[in-house]
Amino acid sequence: KYDVKTMSEKPEQMPDNATDQPLVTFALFAYNQEDLIREAVEGALAQTYEPLEIILSDDCSTDRTFEIMRDIATEYDGAHKIVLRQNSKNLGIGGHVAAIGDVANGEWIIMAAGDDISYPERTEKLMSTANSNRGSTAVFSAYFPIIENFRGRLKGNLTWSKVPLFELACTAGGAGKGATYAYRKDCFYWPCCLPDWVINEDRVLPFRAAILGHVIHCPEPLILYRQAGTEFAEPAKLKRERLEGNPRHWALLRQHVNAATAQNRISRIQAKLACLALRISETFHKKSGSGPHSQSIKLQFLALRMGKKLAQAWCNFGFNKTIQTGRNHRKMGSAIFNLKSGWRSFRNILLSPSEV
């Protein structure tokens, strides 16, 4: 493990504007990315936010990824604090993310991948968004995809600014791209450390963040994202197959709902809705290889708060009416009414203690 520090830890020796803001950690996760890591590190070092701790972390790469990071860190003479580290063995995504949570000193942790490029103002923009939204525990942004060295059209510019827990439950626990996120540090260890087997941290940490506070979307593109399916990025289909084939993922999310309910972090109705959405989403992943469009699940759910009204709304909507709204809504109507038939049975599912 290497630790290269170039900023004094004494507040009186920091820049004038550094002590006006909380310390933030910019964590760059790398593994076998020697052809791309230099641009990623340069993007990290160019961040305009202060005070900033930059962790360059390598997951025991078999190529020259770590050596390149070490050379750049040694030559750096800027204002940021640089921490260079390498895992003694390959930990995988879950273990690597958990390790960063243990060593990071910042109140927030900015996530960055070794094959993506962060804009210089990324940290500053994300923290500005977090500060302007009281109670925020995660912020993620739009992005520009890199497809065969060509910057594609703007992606990830979503229609909502605050993502509720139910919305995340509809989409297997996350929204947007993991490499665009910033999390408040407690998301890394509540209610437990991230398990080593986790392969989609961006479908667990946002779910935790929504329980602990608010997940906020920043519409500005702040990174150049290596599009899945290119030479250097893992195909999205492979990651999805690993997600849907892992029942522990869904069990983990349900455990989070249980913990939140026991600690009174969410209401009983919120817990019921989240568990029902997780159940339907898991079924879709297993049967069709992908999750349902969130609109299919939340069409009537999201606008209503009480269980009876919720069930009645779905019953009034009816499976026959969903035929006119497209394939996704039709599949969703079928899934819901196959769970239990009729309004009364559906209401029992919604309010049954066995679902939480």
Side-chain angles (χ1 to χ4, degrees):
K1 177 180 177 179
Y2 297 80
D3 190 352
V4 183
K5 300 181 180 180
T6 59
M7 172 186 270
S8 172
E9 295 182 355
K10 297 180 180 180
E12 63 270 16
Q13 296 181 8
M14 292 182 179
D16 292 338
N17 66 328
T19 54
D20 295 334
Q21 305 179 107
L23 176 66
V24 172
T25 296
F26 189 102
L28 179 64
F29 298 84
Y31 177 67
N32 286 350
Q33 293 160 324
E34 61 180 7
D35 295 327
L36 303 168
I37 193 63
R38 182 171 294 276
E39 286 184 306
V41 174
E42 290 174 349
L45 299 181
Q47 295 300 299
T48 58
Y49 180 93
E50 295 178 0
L52 186 66
E53 171 189 64
I54 299 177
I55 299 180
L56 306 177
S57 184
D58 176 67
D59 196 17
C60 198
S61 293
T62 57
D63 59 8
R64 294 189 64 255
T65 296
F66 180 71
E67 286 73 16
I68 294 172
M69 290 197 302
R70 180 181 58 195
D71 293 343
I72 299 174
T74 303
E75 296 173 358
Y76 178 71
D77 60 355
H80 303 316
K81 172 184 174 180
I82 309 299
V83 177
L84 179 68
R85 66 180 303 278
Q86 183 180 41
N87 297 327
S88 58
K89 63 178 182 179
N90 183 265
L91 300 179
I93 296 175
H96 197 183
V97 171
I100 292 299
D102 290 338
V103 302
N105 295 307
E107 295 182 19
W108 283 74
I109 300 177
I110 311 292
M111 309 293 282
D115 56 353
D116 299 329
I117 305 171
S118 294
Y119 290 172
E121 67 276 12
R122 182 188 174 202
T123 303
E124 191 171 356
K125 295 282 188 181
L126 290 176
M127 289 302 97
S128 176
T129 302
N131 292 333
S132 61
N133 290 272
R134 186 177 179 181
S136 60
T137 47
V139 181
F140 67 105
S141 72
Y143 61 92
F144 281 115
I146 303 175
I147 306 174
E148 296 180 357
N149 297 320
F150 172 76
R151 193 180 80 170
R153 298 175 58 185
L154 175 66
K155 296 287 187 179
N157 191 5
L158 307 177
T159 57
W160 21 251
S161 59
K162 183 183 295 184
V163 190
L165 178 65
F166 181 80
E167 177 78 35
L168 296 172
C170 292
T171 53
K177 299 295 184 182
T180 69
Y181 268 86
Y183 300 99
R184 205 173 67 186
K185 190 178 179 180
D186 51 346
C187 296
F188 281 69
Y189 52 81
W190 182 93
C192 61
C193 293
L194 202 65
D196 292 342
W197 51 261
V198 168
I199 57 174
N200 298 80
E201 94 293 336
D202 58 348
R203 290 299 179 265
V204 177
L205 295 180
F207 197 75
R208 293 181 175 186
I211 291 174
L212 297 174
H214 303 301
V215 178
I216 307 299
H217 175 245
C218 173
E220 290 189 59
L222 299 177
I223 73 166
L224 293 175
Y225 175 79
R226 195 71 55 178
Q227 188 68 45
T230 61
E231 178 182 358
F232 300 104
E234 182 180 38
K237 182 178 179 181
L238 177 58
K239 294 188 72 174
R240 187 173 66 242
E241 288 175 351
R242 293 195 296 168
L243 171 65
E244 70 197 36
N246 190 351
R248 292 182 295 183
H249 172 79
W250 306 99
L252 180 64
L253 297 185
R254 292 188 181 93
Q255 290 171 10
H256 289 358
V257 174
N258 292 339
T261 305
Q263 297 174 14
N264 294 319
R265 293 183 180 272
I266 60 176
S267 68
R268 185 166 176 247
I269 287 296
Q270 285 178 305
K272 298 297 180 181
L273 293 178
C275 285
L276 182 60
L278 286 173
R279 179 177 177 181
I280 297 172
S281 185
E282 180 182 13
T283 300
F284 267 77
H285 273 85
K286 288 180 178 179
K287 291 184 176 181
S288 64
S290 63
H293 194 283
S294 61
Q295 293 288 343
S296 303
I297 302 180
K298 74 172 187 177
L299 189 61
Q300 296 294 326
F301 281 17
L302 202 56
L304 300 173
R305 300 298 180 185
M306 300 303 293
K308 182 181 293 186
K309 292 182 180 179
L310 183 64
Q312 185 66 60
W314 264 110
C315 200
N316 290 341
F317 186 69
F319 174 61
N320 292 332
K321 294 183 181 180
T322 64
I323 295 177
Q324 303 174 0
T325 64
R327 182 171 56 90
N328 283 332
H329 291 165
R330 188 161 61 250
K331 292 167 69 175
M332 179 50 47
S334 176
I336 287 176
F337 286 97
N338 282 338
L339 292 177
K340 296 283 183 179
S341 60
W343 173 83
R344 188 168 298 176
S345 295
F346 180 67
R347 181 177 181 274
N348 290 338
I349 293 175
L350 187 64
L351 300 178
S352 170
S354 64
E355 284 295 314
V356 179

